[in-house]
Amino acid sequence: MDGSYSSPELFGLVQRKTMQTNYLLKILLFMTMTAVSSVSALSAATNEDIPGCVSQSDKAGSIRDSEGASWSPLYYRKTNMLGWPCLWVNFEGETDFAPHWSAAIAVYYSGWDYFHRDTKFRTFSVMPEIRYWFQGRNDGFFMGAHCGASYYNIALAGKSRYQDHDGNTPAVGGGFTIGYRLPLRNPRWKLEFAAGGGAYYLDYDIFENRVNGSLIGRRHRVFYGLDKVAVSICYTFGDLKGRKGGER
């Protein structure tokens, strides 16, 4: 996978990767939207039984949380600052869909070597997540459940290089996240800390770690461990005044 390609081969490779990526994104988006719809429907059906359900509306029609505080959804765009020193271009979007509840999706990409061809951590990863916030204004501490899929091509200056099988068998799995978000001096800017762990099924090829290195073997295994460590800077979109008095 590290060799040179002719124009037709390169075009075909890009076309296959694009189709695989689109298919993967559709699956993950469907899973995320299904989870959001399920939580929203359950909240509406049971009302007081689920923490953070909408308990009332005022005369102007604004939503209030279970504590009676004014609430309106906000939208966040963020990037994990820990990823950039590793040359991982990354961004994440998040939206509130009820007091105490939000949905997020993070995307990571890296297609570069680290100073030499035998050292790299190339990846294209997508991680949707559903979060529960302990405060009705959706700030402070949270916990979440996420799923993820990741294409990868890894070499750490050793004798071997590891790549998802045939370049089209991403690691797939999921896990749980805990974290904390706090506002900065400007309330539209926030700082978020998060860590998560989970399990992922891996199907990968092992190559000699050199240009056009020969295939050594193929492995199947399940990875258990950290799958997310983030210190993210966030920008908030939406009506901040709608959160006035958000915590009682």
Side-chain angles (χ1 to χ4, degrees):
M1 287 293 178
D2 283 328
S4 300
Y5 295 96
S6 65
S7 295
E9 290 174 332
L10 183 60
F11 177 79
L13 178 63
V14 171
Q15 188 177 42
R16 289 194 301 274
K17 286 291 186 182
T18 301
M19 293 177 64
Q20 294 161 4
T21 299
N22 287 340
Y23 181 68
L24 177 63
L25 286 174
K26 288 178 181 178
I27 293 175
L28 293 176
L29 181 60
F30 173 77
M31 293 171 65
T32 303
M33 295 306 297
T34 300
V36 170
S37 300
S38 299
V39 172
S40 298
L42 191 58
S43 298
T46 60
N47 198 19
E48 296 298 333
D49 293 336
I50 293 183
C53 64
V54 176
S55 60
Q56 56 179 307
S57 299
D58 61 18
K59 294 181 180 179
S62 64
I63 297 173
R64 292 182 178 274
D65 65 19
S66 57
E67 299 173 339
S70 178
W71 186 92
S72 62
L74 297 176
Y75 311 92
Y76 311 89
R77 299 296 178 266
K78 63 187 83 170
T79 186
N80 181 1
M81 295 183 291
L82 300 182
W84 290 97
C86 300
L87 303 181
W88 297 345
V89 177
N90 70 90
F91 64 90
E92 182 174 353
E94 182 180 357
T95 179
D96 300 328
F97 61 89
H100 295 279
W101 294 95
S102 68
I105 184 167
V107 177
Y108 286 78
Y109 173 78
S110 177
W112 302 278
D113 299 335
Y114 295 150
F115 308 110
H116 195 273
R117 295 182 68 95
D118 66 357
T119 307
K120 67 193 70 179
F121 198 126
R122 299 182 183 181
T123 185
F124 175 73
S125 304
V126 182
M127 181 180 285
E129 183 175 66
I130 300 295
R131 292 179 171 182
Y132 174 76
W133 298 83
F134 292 91
Q135 298 178 1
R137 57 191 174 89
N138 294 18
D139 253 340
F141 286 101
F142 69 88
M143 62 181 183
H146 60 260
C147 58
S150 179
Y151 296 98
Y152 53 93
N153 183 356
I154 303 170
L156 301 177
K159 295 181 178 180
S160 302
R161 178 174 63 85
Y162 308 91
Q163 182 172 329
D164 55 276
H165 178 59
D166 288 342
N168 58 14
T169 313
V172 178
F176 298 95
T177 307
I178 58 172
Y180 185 84
R181 186 164 67 201
L182 69 159
L184 299 179
R185 190 167 186 176
N186 182 329
R188 288 202 177 272
W189 289 97
K190 300 175 184 290
L191 190 62
E192 180 179 295
F193 303 88
Y200 289 79
Y201 174 72
L202 308 179
D203 179 2
Y204 58 93
D205 297 322
I206 305 174
F207 296 88
E208 294 179 346
N209 190 17
R210 57 184 178 83
V211 177
N212 296 323
S214 300
L215 176 66
I216 299 173
R218 180 181 178 184
R219 298 289 186 274
H220 303 265
R221 62 177 293 231
V222 177
F223 165 81
Y224 300 94
L226 282 174
D227 62 354
K228 181 174 186 177
V229 178
V231 178
S232 301
I233 187 74
C234 315
Y235 186 79
T236 307
F237 296 86
D239 182 13
L240 292 178
K241 294 181 180 179
R243 293 290 179 87
K244 186 176 181 180
E247 184 179 9
R248 297 274 176 133

